[in-house]
Amino acid sequence: MKHRIVVASNNKHKIEEIKSILANRYDLLSMEDVGFYDDIIEDADTFVGNALIKARTIHKKFDCNCLADDSGLLIEALNNEPGVYSARYAGEPVNHDQNIEKVLLKMKGIENRKAKFVTVLALILNNEEFIFEGEVHGNIRLERSGNKGFGYDPIFEPIGYNITFAEMEEAEKNAISHRARALAKMEMALFK
Ligand code: IMP
């Protein structure tokens, strides 16, 4: 019998991406599958802290293996803002367009456009905790371009490209994204 891992995310796209890597070796369950509908308060001030809060909450409640993630955008000239506040940078409820607007306004006239996306994965497997991090570096555009992807994709141009994440095909973004890199590290650590 395959071991089970509960993925602490309600984002279907993320679960699919994780499935493509782990599904042959583990039975992956969503929070819905185990009947967990509570809000988990992610009040840590680091990605590692928030990913661990999610993984530990599920692990404690169901005594199961669990994988959780936390991601965000860090902009050098803004002292690494929006960081852990990426989703709600312009306030509640989450509004990606207003978040972008806030970034573009704050970055007006600033020459240093360096930024990176970061993903932290927290895995609790057989009662042991593992952390994996992935990053992708790039620059913040002066204005939006493209309509694919989500979040800050229209203003993020990864190093080595002259298009934004929002102009890339999904597969192209998934090959170099922060999330893909964190997942690749997990795969290496677990299976290689
Ligand atoms: P989450 O922790 O993966 O839900 O990400 C938190 C927030 O970071 C999202 O709501 C987005 O604003 C931003 N973010 C994370 N990953 C990406 C990405 O791949 N593209 C654009 N924005 C992202």
Side-chain angles (χ1 to χ4, degrees), residues 159-180:
I159 298 286
Y161 293 78
N162 53 15
I163 55 174
T164 67
F165 264 176
E167 292 172 297
M168 284 185 176
E169 293 307 323
E170 198 179 327
E172 197 178 7
K173 177 186 166 187
N174 284 347
I176 61 165
S177 80
H178 44 313
R179 224 177 329 277

Side-chain angles (χ1 to χ4, degrees), residues 14 69-72 86-87 96 117 150-153 173 178-179:
K14 276 189 206 168
D69 76 328
D70 200 45
S71 318
S86 291
H96 293 312
F117 276 118
F150 75 104
Y152 298 92
D153 283 347
K173 177 186 166 187
H178 44 313
R179 224 177 329 277

Side-chain angles (χ1 to χ4, degrees), residues 7 9-19 28 30:
V7 180
S9 170
N10 287 317
N11 179 323
K12 288 217 166 74
H13 173 81
K14 276 189 206 168
I15 295 175
E16 284 310 312
E17 210 177 325
I18 293 169
K19 265 190 182 164
L28 295 185
S30 66

Side-chain angles (χ1 to χ4, degrees), residues 48-69:
V48 172
N50 282 328
L52 279 172
I53 286 174
K54 286 183 263 192
R56 286 174 182 164
T57 303
I58 302 290
H59 176 254
K60 204 167 155 192
K61 182 149 184 174
F62 298 99
D63 192 23
C64 60
N65 298 320
C66 182
L67 178 65
D69 76 328

Side-chain angles (χ1 to χ4, degrees), residues 20-60:
S20 71
I21 293 177
L22 294 180
N24 287 335
R25 286 123 164 164
Y26 293 95
D27 275 332
L28 295 185
L29 303 179
S30 66
M31 300 216 275
E32 230 173 42
D33 292 334
V34 292
F36 185 88
Y37 300 99
D38 302 352
D39 263 342
I40 300 177
I41 298 172
E42 301 168 35
D43 55 2
D45 56 8
T46 61
F47 296 114
V48 172
N50 282 328
L52 279 172
I53 286 174
K54 286 183 263 192
R56 286 174 182 164
T57 303
I58 302 290
H59 176 254
K60 204 167 155 192

